[in-house]
Amino acid sequence: DAHLMESGGGSVQAGGSLTLSCTGTTFRLAASRMSWYRQPKGDECEMVASVTSDAKTTYLDSVKGRFIIAQDNAENKSYLQMNNLKPEDTAKYFCAADGVVTGYFCSRADSGTWGQGTQVTVSS
């Protein structure tokens, strides 16, 4: 059974914006460290942003100032707001609760609860 579901991916021109959503279906996100990861084509999984239960955030250097991770606990959702998108942001984006990944693939994460991912494509 799926415990997290991502939505909001799609295609956008460079400089545009997109917001991804992640909905928890079987557990409360408020009790977890929520993160967004991405898997670019031909490259390894990388963590894009995360937020702890006390609202401490961490961002990948290349997205600082452009992306914002947010959470609505009443709706049990995590959001990744992406602004000024660049072609290098093109990737499959994953939502994870307490995620840990040390290998190449987001889909083969070491631990945590993960969604199936949503594709984001940014054209130049």
Side-chain angles (χ1 to χ4, degrees):
D1 292 344
H3 302 289
L4 291 172
M5 296 189 295
E6 303 97 337
S7 63
S11 298
V12 64
Q13 295 277 351
S17 298
L18 204 61
T19 297
L20 307 181
S21 299
C22 172
T23 302
T25 59
T26 61
F27 67 101
R28 296 177 181 179
L29 304 190
S32 303
R33 167 177 51 82
M34 296 303 303
S35 301
W36 286 87
Y37 292 77
R38 67 186 182 189
Q39 184 100 56
K41 182 180 179 181
D43 210 348
E44 63 188 357
C45 181
E46 60 186 355
M47 188 174 73
V48 178
S50 66
V51 60
T52 63
S53 59
D54 60 346
K56 292 182 172 60
T57 58
T58 301
Y59 293 94
L60 182 68
D61 284 345
S62 63
V63 310
K64 287 180 179 177
R66 299 190 298 120
F67 290 13
I68 299 172
I69 188 168
Q71 193 160 314
D72 187 334
N73 289 328
E75 296 186 355
N76 207 36
K77 294 181 182 292
S78 174
Y79 298 94
L80 183 66
Q81 301 172 15
M82 304 182 293
N83 303 301
N84 191 24
L85 283 160
K86 302 176 180 180
E88 52 263 43
D89 294 319
T90 296
K92 190 171 185 178
Y93 284 72
F94 297 83
C95 172
D98 299 321
V100 177
V101 55
T102 57
Y104 191 91
F105 296 103
C106 294
S107 60
R108 296 181 182 177
D110 297 270
S111 63
T113 302
W114 292 68
Q116 293 298 303
T118 185
Q119 180 68 35
V120 172
T121 301
V122 184
S123 60
S124 60

PDB file of all heavy atoms in Angstrom, residues 89-115:
ATOM      1  N   ASP A  89      17.139  21.384 -13.029  1.00  0.00           N
ATOM      2  CA  ASP A  89      16.186  20.915 -12.028  1.00  0.00           C
ATOM      3  C   ASP A  89      15.355  19.750 -12.550  1.00  0.00           C
ATOM      4  O   ASP A  89      14.597  19.147 -11.788  1.00  0.00           O
ATOM      5  CB  ASP A  89      15.251  22.044 -11.598  1.00  0.00           C
ATOM      6  CG  ASP A  89      15.967  23.162 -10.864  1.00  0.00           C
ATOM      7  OD1 ASP A  89      16.845  22.865 -10.030  1.00  0.00           O
ATOM      8  OD2 ASP A  89      15.637  24.333 -11.126  1.00  0.00           O
ATOM      9  N   THR A  90      15.477  19.444 -13.819  1.00  0.00           N
ATOM     10  CA  THR A  90      14.739  18.340 -14.413  1.00  0.00           C
ATOM     11  C   THR A  90      15.102  17.032 -13.720  1.00  0.00           C
ATOM     12  O   THR A  90      16.268  16.663 -13.639  1.00  0.00           O
ATOM     13  CB  THR A  90      15.029  18.234 -15.917  1.00  0.00           C
ATOM     14  OG1 THR A  90      14.547  19.410 -16.574  1.00  0.00           O
ATOM     15  CG2 THR A  90      14.356  17.017 -16.518  1.00  0.00           C
ATOM     16  N   ALA A  91      14.097  16.348 -13.204  1.00  0.00           N
ATOM     17  CA  ALA A  91      14.318  15.117 -12.451  1.00  0.00           C
ATOM     18  C   ALA A  91      12.976  14.537 -12.033  1.00  0.00           C
ATOM     19  O   ALA A  91      11.938  15.182 -12.148  1.00  0.00           O
ATOM     20  CB  ALA A  91      15.167  15.390 -11.206  1.00  0.00           C
ATOM     21  N   LYS A  92      13.026  13.319 -11.532  1.00  0.00           N
ATOM     22  CA  LYS A  92      11.871  12.747 -10.875  1.00  0.00           C
ATOM     23  C   LYS A  92      11.983  13.098  -9.396  1.00  0.00           C
ATOM     24  O   LYS A  92      13.007  12.823  -8.770  1.00  0.00           O
ATOM     25  CB  LYS A  92      11.816  11.228 -11.062  1.00  0.00           C
ATOM     26  CG  LYS A  92      10.510  10.605 -10.605  1.00  0.00           C
ATOM     27  CD  LYS A  92      10.422   9.142 -11.009  1.00  0.00           C
ATOM     28  CE  LYS A  92       9.075   8.549 -10.676  1.00  0.00           C
ATOM     29  NZ  LYS A  92       8.977   7.135 -11.105  1.00  0.00           N
ATOM     30  N   TYR A  93      10.955  13.716  -8.863  1.00  0.00           N
ATOM     31  CA  TYR A  93      10.974  14.194  -7.487  1.00  0.00           C
ATOM     32  C   TYR A  93      10.192  13.254  -6.574  1.00  0.00           C
ATOM     33  O   TYR A  93       9.085  12.826  -6.900  1.00  0.00           O
ATOM     34  CB  TYR A  93      10.386  15.598  -7.403  1.00  0.00           C
ATOM     35  CG  TYR A  93      11.338  16.668  -7.895  1.00  0.00           C
ATOM     36  CD1 TYR A  93      11.621  16.796  -9.248  1.00  0.00           C
ATOM     37  CD2 TYR A  93      11.954  17.539  -7.007  1.00  0.00           C
ATOM     38  CE1 TYR A  93      12.510  17.764  -9.701  1.00  0.00           C
ATOM     39  CE2 TYR A  93      12.834  18.515  -7.447  1.00  0.00           C
ATOM     40  CZ  TYR A  93      13.111  18.628  -8.798  1.00  0.00           C
ATOM     41  OH  TYR A  93      13.983  19.595  -9.238  1.00  0.00           O
ATOM     42  N   PHE A  94      10.785  12.964  -5.412  1.00  0.00           N
ATOM     43  CA  PHE A  94      10.196  12.053  -4.439  1.00  0.00           C
ATOM     44  C   PHE A  94       9.990  12.738  -3.102  1.00  0.00           C
ATOM     45  O   PHE A  94      10.814  13.535  -2.663  1.00  0.00           O
ATOM     46  CB  PHE A  94      11.106  10.836  -4.202  1.00  0.00           C
ATOM     47  CG  PHE A  94      11.327   9.969  -5.402  1.00  0.00           C
ATOM     48  CD1 PHE A  94      12.294  10.290  -6.335  1.00  0.00           C
ATOM     49  CD2 PHE A  94      10.578   8.821  -5.585  1.00  0.00           C
ATOM     50  CE1 PHE A  94      12.511   9.484  -7.437  1.00  0.00           C
ATOM     51  CE2 PHE A  94      10.789   8.008  -6.686  1.00  0.00           C
ATOM     52  CZ  PHE A  94      11.758   8.342  -7.611  1.00  0.00           C
ATOM     53  N   CYS A  95       8.915  12.398  -2.446  1.00  0.00           N
ATOM     54  CA  CYS A  95       8.636  12.815  -1.087  1.00  0.00           C
ATOM     55  C   CYS A  95       8.984  11.654  -0.162  1.00  0.00           C
ATOM     56  O   CYS A  95       8.734  10.493  -0.491  1.00  0.00           O
ATOM     57  CB  CYS A  95       7.155  13.181  -0.970  1.00  0.00           C
ATOM     58  SG  CYS A  95       6.556  13.513   0.689  1.00  0.00           S
ATOM     59  N   ALA A  96       9.572  11.965   0.987  1.00  0.00           N
ATOM     60  CA  ALA A  96       9.941  10.912   1.925  1.00  0.00           C
ATOM     61  C   ALA A  96       9.773  11.364   3.362  1.00  0.00           C
ATOM     62  O   ALA A  96      10.024  12.517   3.699  1.00  0.00           O
ATOM     63  CB  ALA A  96      11.392  10.481   1.696  1.00  0.00           C
ATOM     64  N   ALA A  97       9.346  10.438   4.194  1.00  0.00           N
ATOM     65  CA  ALA A  97       9.282  10.648   5.639  1.00  0.00           C
ATOM     66  C   ALA A  97      10.436   9.884   6.270  1.00  0.00           C
ATOM     67  O   ALA A  97      10.562   8.678   6.066  1.00  0.00           O
ATOM     68  CB  ALA A  97       7.947  10.171   6.183  1.00  0.00           C
ATOM     69  N   ASP A  98      11.272  10.596   7.015  1.00  0.00           N
ATOM     70  CA  ASP A  98      12.449   9.997   7.654  1.00  0.00           C
ATOM     71  C   ASP A  98      13.313   9.248   6.648  1.00  0.00           C
ATOM     72  O   ASP A  98      13.801   8.148   6.911  1.00  0.00           O
ATOM     73  CB  ASP A  98      12.025   9.087   8.800  1.00  0.00           C
ATOM     74  CG  ASP A  98      11.264   9.819   9.886  1.00  0.00           C
ATOM     75  OD1 ASP A  98      11.634  10.969  10.194  1.00  0.00           O
ATOM     76  OD2 ASP A  98      10.299   9.243  10.434  1.00  0.00           O
ATOM     77  N   GLY A  99      13.495   9.850   5.492  1.00  0.00           N
ATOM     78  CA  GLY A  99      14.217   9.197   4.420  1.00  0.00           C
ATOM     79  C   GLY A  99      15.723   9.162   4.630  1.00  0.00           C
ATOM     80  O   GLY A  99      16.320  10.106   5.129  1.00  0.00           O
ATOM     81  N   VAL A 100      16.316   8.047   4.228  1.00  0.00           N
ATOM     82  CA  VAL A 100      17.762   7.878   4.211  1.00  0.00           C
ATOM     83  C   VAL A 100      18.123   7.181   2.916  1.00  0.00           C
ATOM     84  O   VAL A 100      17.580   6.118   2.610  1.00  0.00           O
ATOM     85  CB  VAL A 100      18.276   7.048   5.399  1.00  0.00           C
ATOM     86  CG1 VAL A 100      19.785   6.851   5.298  1.00  0.00           C
ATOM     87  CG2 VAL A 100      17.924   7.717   6.716  1.00  0.00           C
ATOM     88  N   VAL A 101      19.016   7.765   2.125  1.00  0.00           N
ATOM     89  CA  VAL A 101      19.458   7.148   0.884  1.00  0.00           C
ATOM     90  C   VAL A 101      20.946   7.395   0.710  1.00  0.00           C
ATOM     91  O   VAL A 101      21.402   8.538   0.751  1.00  0.00           O
ATOM     92  CB  VAL A 101      18.641   7.666  -0.320  1.00  0.00           C
ATOM     93  CG1 VAL A 101      18.687   9.188  -0.408  1.00  0.00           C
ATOM     94  CG2 VAL A 101      19.138   7.041  -1.616  1.00  0.00           C
ATOM     95  N   THR A 102      21.691   6.325   0.540  1.00  0.00           N
ATOM     96  CA  THR A 102      23.141   6.416   0.357  1.00  0.00           C
ATOM     97  C   THR A 102      23.588   5.863  -0.983  1.00  0.00           C
ATOM     98  O   THR A 102      24.728   6.065  -1.383  1.00  0.00           O
ATOM     99  CB  THR A 102      23.888   5.677   1.475  1.00  0.00           C
ATOM    100  OG1 THR A 102      23.467   4.312   1.512  1.00  0.00           O
ATOM    101  CG2 THR A 102      23.605   6.325   2.822  1.00  0.00           C
ATOM    102  N   GLY A 103      22.683   5.174  -1.679  1.00  0.00           N
ATOM    103  CA  GLY A 103      23.003   4.603  -2.965  1.00  0.00           C
ATOM    104  C   GLY A 103      22.641   5.515  -4.117  1.00  0.00           C
ATOM    105  O   GLY A 103      22.341   6.697  -3.930  1.00  0.00           O
ATOM    106  N   TYR A 104      22.642   4.958  -5.312  1.00  0.00           N
ATOM    107  CA  TYR A 104      22.423   5.720  -6.523  1.00  0.00           C
ATOM    108  C   TYR A 104      20.956   6.081  -6.745  1.00  0.00           C
ATOM    109  O   TYR A 104      20.650   7.182  -7.214  1.00  0.00           O
ATOM    110  CB  TYR A 104      22.943   4.922  -7.726  1.00  0.00           C
ATOM    111  CG  TYR A 104      23.017   5.695  -9.012  1.00  0.00           C
ATOM    112  CD1 TYR A 104      24.175   6.378  -9.359  1.00  0.00           C
ATOM    113  CD2 TYR A 104      21.942   5.732  -9.889  1.00  0.00           C
ATOM    114  CE1 TYR A 104      24.253   7.080 -10.549  1.00  0.00           C
ATOM    115  CE2 TYR A 104      22.010   6.434 -11.084  1.00  0.00           C
ATOM    116  CZ  TYR A 104      23.177   7.103 -11.406  1.00  0.00           C
ATOM    117  OH  TYR A 104      23.257   7.801 -12.588  1.00  0.00           O
ATOM    118  N   PHE A 105      20.061   5.162  -6.406  1.00  0.00           N
ATOM    119  CA  PHE A 105      18.659   5.324  -6.744  1.00  0.00           C
ATOM    120  C   PHE A 105      17.787   5.744  -5.570  1.00  0.00           C
ATOM    121  O   PHE A 105      17.814   5.126  -4.506  1.00  0.00           O
ATOM    122  CB  PHE A 105      18.099   4.016  -7.321  1.00  0.00           C
ATOM    123  CG  PHE A 105      18.733   3.600  -8.611  1.00  0.00           C
ATOM    124  CD1 PHE A 105      19.676   2.588  -8.647  1.00  0.00           C
ATOM    125  CD2 PHE A 105      18.387   4.228  -9.788  1.00  0.00           C
ATOM    126  CE1 PHE A 105      20.260   2.201  -9.843  1.00  0.00           C
ATOM    127  CE2 PHE A 105      18.962   3.856 -10.997  1.00  0.00           C
ATOM    128  CZ  PHE A 105      19.898   2.843 -11.021  1.00  0.00           C
ATOM    129  N   CYS A 106      16.996   6.781  -5.779  1.00  0.00           N
ATOM    130  CA  CYS A 106      15.997   7.160  -4.790  1.00  0.00           C
ATOM    131  C   CYS A 106      15.033   6.002  -4.537  1.00  0.00           C
ATOM    132  O   CYS A 106      14.589   5.790  -3.410  1.00  0.00           O
ATOM    133  CB  CYS A 106      15.195   8.370  -5.270  1.00  0.00           C
ATOM    134  SG  CYS A 106      16.102   9.919  -5.421  1.00  0.00           S
ATOM    135  N   SER A 107      14.717   5.282  -5.588  1.00  0.00           N
ATOM    136  CA  SER A 107      13.764   4.182  -5.485  1.00  0.00           C
ATOM    137  C   SER A 107      14.298   2.990  -4.705  1.00  0.00           C
ATOM    138  O   SER A 107      13.541   2.065  -4.419  1.00  0.00           O
ATOM    139  CB  SER A 107      13.338   3.730  -6.884  1.00  0.00           C
ATOM    140  OG  SER A 107      14.453   3.292  -7.638  1.00  0.00           O
ATOM    141  N   ARG A 108      15.579   3.004  -4.374  1.00  0.00           N
ATOM    142  CA  ARG A 108      16.190   1.949  -3.557  1.00  0.00           C
ATOM    143  C   ARG A 108      16.743   2.560  -2.273  1.00  0.00           C
ATOM    144  O   ARG A 108      17.835   2.210  -1.824  1.00  0.00           O
ATOM    145  CB  ARG A 108      17.291   1.231  -4.335  1.00  0.00           C
ATOM    146  CG  ARG A 108      16.780   0.486  -5.561  1.00  0.00           C
ATOM    147  CD  ARG A 108      17.898  -0.237  -6.281  1.00  0.00           C
ATOM    148  NE  ARG A 108      17.430  -0.918  -7.474  1.00  0.00           N
ATOM    149  CZ  ARG A 108      18.209  -1.579  -8.313  1.00  0.00           C
ATOM    150  NH1 ARG A 108      19.508  -1.669  -8.091  1.00  0.00           N
ATOM    151  NH2 ARG A 108      17.684  -2.161  -9.375  1.00  0.00           N
ATOM    152  N   ALA A 109      15.975   3.435  -1.684  1.00  0.00           N
ATOM    153  CA  ALA A 109      16.380   4.122  -0.467  1.00  0.00           C
ATOM    154  C   ALA A 109      16.634   3.135   0.662  1.00  0.00           C
ATOM    155  O   ALA A 109      15.996   2.082   0.749  1.00  0.00           O
ATOM    156  CB  ALA A 109      15.313   5.123  -0.048  1.00  0.00           C
ATOM    157  N   ASP A 110      17.559   3.497   1.535  1.00  0.00           N
ATOM    158  CA  ASP A 110      17.918   2.621   2.645  1.00  0.00           C
ATOM    159  C   ASP A 110      16.808   2.493   3.664  1.00  0.00           C
ATOM    160  O   ASP A 110      16.613   1.421   4.244  1.00  0.00           O
ATOM    161  CB  ASP A 110      19.192   3.140   3.320  1.00  0.00           C
ATOM    162  CG  ASP A 110      20.386   3.136   2.400  1.00  0.00           C
ATOM    163  OD1 ASP A 110      21.090   2.110   2.366  1.00  0.00           O
ATOM    164  OD2 ASP A 110      20.607   4.152   1.718  1.00  0.00           O
ATOM    165  N   SER A 111      16.100   3.581   3.911  1.00  0.00           N
ATOM    166  CA  SER A 111      15.023   3.551   4.881  1.00  0.00           C
ATOM    167  C   SER A 111      14.092   4.731   4.668  1.00  0.00           C
ATOM    168  O   SER A 111      14.361   5.638   3.881  1.00  0.00           O
ATOM    169  CB  SER A 111      15.570   3.552   6.315  1.00  0.00           C
ATOM    170  OG  SER A 111      16.291   4.746   6.585  1.00  0.00           O
ATOM    171  N   GLY A 112      12.988   4.709   5.400  1.00  0.00           N
ATOM    172  CA  GLY A 112      12.007   5.761   5.318  1.00  0.00           C
ATOM    173  C   GLY A 112      10.788   5.331   4.535  1.00  0.00           C
ATOM    174  O   GLY A 112      10.757   4.259   3.927  1.00  0.00           O
ATOM    175  N   THR A 113       9.792   6.172   4.560  1.00  0.00           N
ATOM    176  CA  THR A 113       8.575   5.953   3.797  1.00  0.00           C
ATOM    177  C   THR A 113       8.601   6.879   2.591  1.00  0.00           C
ATOM    178  O   THR A 113       8.737   8.090   2.749  1.00  0.00           O
ATOM    179  CB  THR A 113       7.339   6.231   4.659  1.00  0.00           C
ATOM    180  OG1 THR A 113       7.369   5.389   5.819  1.00  0.00           O
ATOM    181  CG2 THR A 113       6.061   5.954   3.880  1.00  0.00           C
ATOM    182  N   TRP A 114       8.486   6.318   1.412  1.00  0.00           N
ATOM    183  CA  TRP A 114       8.660   7.058   0.165  1.00  0.00           C
ATOM    184  C   TRP A 114       7.445   6.965  -0.742  1.00  0.00           C
ATOM    185  O   TRP A 114       6.753   5.948  -0.776  1.00  0.00           O
ATOM    186  CB  TRP A 114       9.870   6.512  -0.604  1.00  0.00           C
ATOM    187  CG  TRP A 114      11.186   6.779   0.063  1.00  0.00           C
ATOM    188  CD1 TRP A 114      11.644   6.246   1.233  1.00  0.00           C
ATOM    189  CD2 TRP A 114      12.218   7.643  -0.412  1.00  0.00           C
ATOM    190  NE1 TRP A 114      12.894   6.721   1.515  1.00  0.00           N
ATOM    191  CE2 TRP A 114      13.272   7.580   0.524  1.00  0.00           C
ATOM    192  CE3 TRP A 114      12.347   8.453  -1.540  1.00  0.00           C
ATOM    193  CZ2 TRP A 114      14.452   8.314   0.365  1.00  0.00           C
ATOM    194  CZ3 TRP A 114      13.521   9.178  -1.701  1.00  0.00           C
ATOM    195  CH2 TRP A 114      14.556   9.099  -0.748  1.00  0.00           C
ATOM    196  N   GLY A 115       7.222   8.034  -1.501  1.00  0.00           N
ATOM    197  CA  GLY A 115       6.219   8.006  -2.542  1.00  0.00           C
ATOM    198  C   GLY A 115       6.814   7.450  -3.819  1.00  0.00           C
ATOM    199  O   GLY A 115       7.995   7.102  -3.885  1.00  0.00           O
TER     200      GLY A 115
END
